[in-house]
Amino acid sequence: MCRLQEIPVKNRNPILLAVLLLLTADDKLWSAAKDHVYIDSFDFKKMNLSGINTDTDGYAIYQMANGKDHLHGKGIYQNG
């Protein structure tokens, strides 16, 4: 993820940055996601959500971040 800083601001994908912001908004969610964040994509299928209950903010944030409508076709969603 630190390599993202090497990309000029004008070349950064705003959708990728928005998803990254969502994933880092919750500590448990970020713990599950951080090893599956790449310079140009996310691998949601490999994120282990076992410690995140469906009634927590973390799960709702995950669902927003994993909104396939805005990720498919943008080259930042991996199917695992």
Side-chain angles (χ1 to χ4, degrees):
M1 186 179 71
C2 293
R3 293 182 306 174
L4 185 60
Q5 295 174 351
E6 298 171 8
I7 298 173
V9 173
K10 66 180 183 176
N11 294 339
R12 294 180 189 173
N13 183 324
I15 294 173
L16 184 111
L17 294 174
V19 172
L20 184 61
L21 175 71
L22 288 170
L23 293 175
T24 59
D26 181 84
D27 290 338
K28 287 184 180 180
L29 177 57
W30 180 239
S31 291
K34 65 183 175 185
D35 293 331
H36 309 292
V37 175
Y38 307 102
I39 190 76
D40 59 355
S41 64
F42 303 92
D43 195 346
F44 287 95
K45 289 194 176 201
K46 291 187 179 176
M47 294 178 192
N48 183 353
L49 303 179
S50 63
I52 300 172
N53 296 322
T54 56
D55 60 347
T56 65
D57 289 342
Y59 187 75
I61 294 169
Y62 170 82
Q63 291 299 325
M64 286 188 291
N66 192 19
K68 293 171 184 66
D69 290 340
H70 61 265
L71 299 179
H72 281 297
K74 305 288 189 220
I76 59 173
Y77 179 81
Q78 292 184 10
N79 287 325

